[in-house]
Amino acid sequence: MSETSPQQGAESICPPVDLSGDAGWVPFDAPSLVGESLRFVSGEPDGNRFRVRYYRDSEQHLHARIWFGPETEGPPGHAHGGAVSAVMDEALGLAAWAAGYPIVVGNLNISFRTMLPLQKVVTVESRVVSAQGRKVMVHGRLFCGDAVYAEGECLCITLPGR
Ligand SMILES: CCCCCCCCCC(=O)SCCNC(=O)CCNC(=O)[C@H](O)C(C)(C)COP(=O)(O)OP(=O)(O)OC[C@H]1O[C@@H](n2cnc3c(N)ncnc32)[C@H](O)[C@@H]1OP(=O)(O)O
């Protein structure tokens, strides 16, 4: 029987990726707004799952630059729908917070338009499209260039007393 190294089978860490923003975008510090609890998507900025950076543009719209790593795999070589949904949940919910609404997501409707290849850097853009009473509607899409991978409609509900 051959000897095995402790490293054998361990997945190596992927190399750095460029998550820089577009010209005019300003980095957005999500933990300073919502606290340190946003770890599911944002918690391992150098890991093999998601790597995320948030920005706001000159009109204060929130954008996410996101890399889907090998640990987000669903269909072979492509991102899991749950991984895409988790990113949309966080990014669109955070867009409502960034616009001044302390919310949780009540309903999230995702359309998967194109399979997303792994190890690709994509962008989520978002818009708060309405706010009536406790209901805040945020729309967004996950894309790279002309390729749209997912579109989302996110009904956020404000939390009383926040
Ligand atoms: C703290 C840091 C947060 C950072 C967030 C950023 C990204 C993360 C986003 C998330 O993942 S949040 C986690 C996933 N979401 C949840 O776990 C939410 C679970 N659901 C709840 O906690 C409650 O159902 C909720 C707070 C959303 C609403 O309960 P309430 O008892 O406060 O409200 P109520 O049920 O009275 O509903 C208020 C209004 O919202 C409407 N509504 C509530 N939930 C709805 C829903 N799911 N779909 C459609 N409408 C909904 C409801 O019909 C009503 O409309 P009207 O005022 O017109 O009557």
Side-chain angles (χ1 to χ4, degrees):
M1 193 196 314
S2 63
E3 291 198 9
T4 55
S5 115
Q7 296 300 317
Q8 203 165 15
E11 200 165 348
S12 58
I13 295 292
C14 295
V17 293
D18 180 7
L19 296 176
S20 55
D22 285 3
W25 288 5
V26 174
F28 179 75
D29 183 359
S32 72
L33 178 64
V34 302
E36 298 288 342
S37 66
L38 277 190
R39 287 177 300 179
F40 184 60
V41 172
S42 303
E44 294 176 6
D46 301 311
N48 279 352
R49 196 167 51 172
F50 306 106
R51 300 181 189 175
V52 185
R53 275 196 221 155
Y54 288 104
Y55 299 91
R56 282 208 285 199
D57 65 23
S58 59
E59 296 174 37
Q60 303 302 306
H61 299 304
L62 191 75
H63 302 260
R65 201 76 101 196
I66 306 195
W67 173 83
F68 283 76
E71 293 177 11
T72 67
E73 189 169 30
H78 294 82
H80 193 292
V84 172
S85 299
V87 163
M88 296 295 272
D89 179 57
E90 178 169 309
L92 301 190
L94 193 58
W97 275 81
Y101 301 102
I103 57 85
V104 287
V105 171
N107 183 270
L108 180 61
N109 188 2
I110 304 289
S111 296
F112 304 103
R113 297 296 187 192
T114 310
M115 288 171 68
L116 171 59
L118 295 177
Q119 305 213 41
K120 191 167 184 66
V121 174
V122 296
T123 302
V124 175
E125 65 175 12
S126 60
R127 290 285 183 282
V128 176
V129 298
S130 66
Q132 290 181 314
R134 293 179 57 198
K135 298 175 190 172
V136 180
M137 180 61 80
V138 183
H139 289 180
R141 64 178 191 138
L142 189 154
F143 70 99
C144 180
D146 292 335
V148 176
Y149 296 99
E151 295 170 315
E153 298 175 345
C154 184
L155 175 65
C156 304
I157 309 294
T158 57
L159 297 168
R162 293 293 296 256

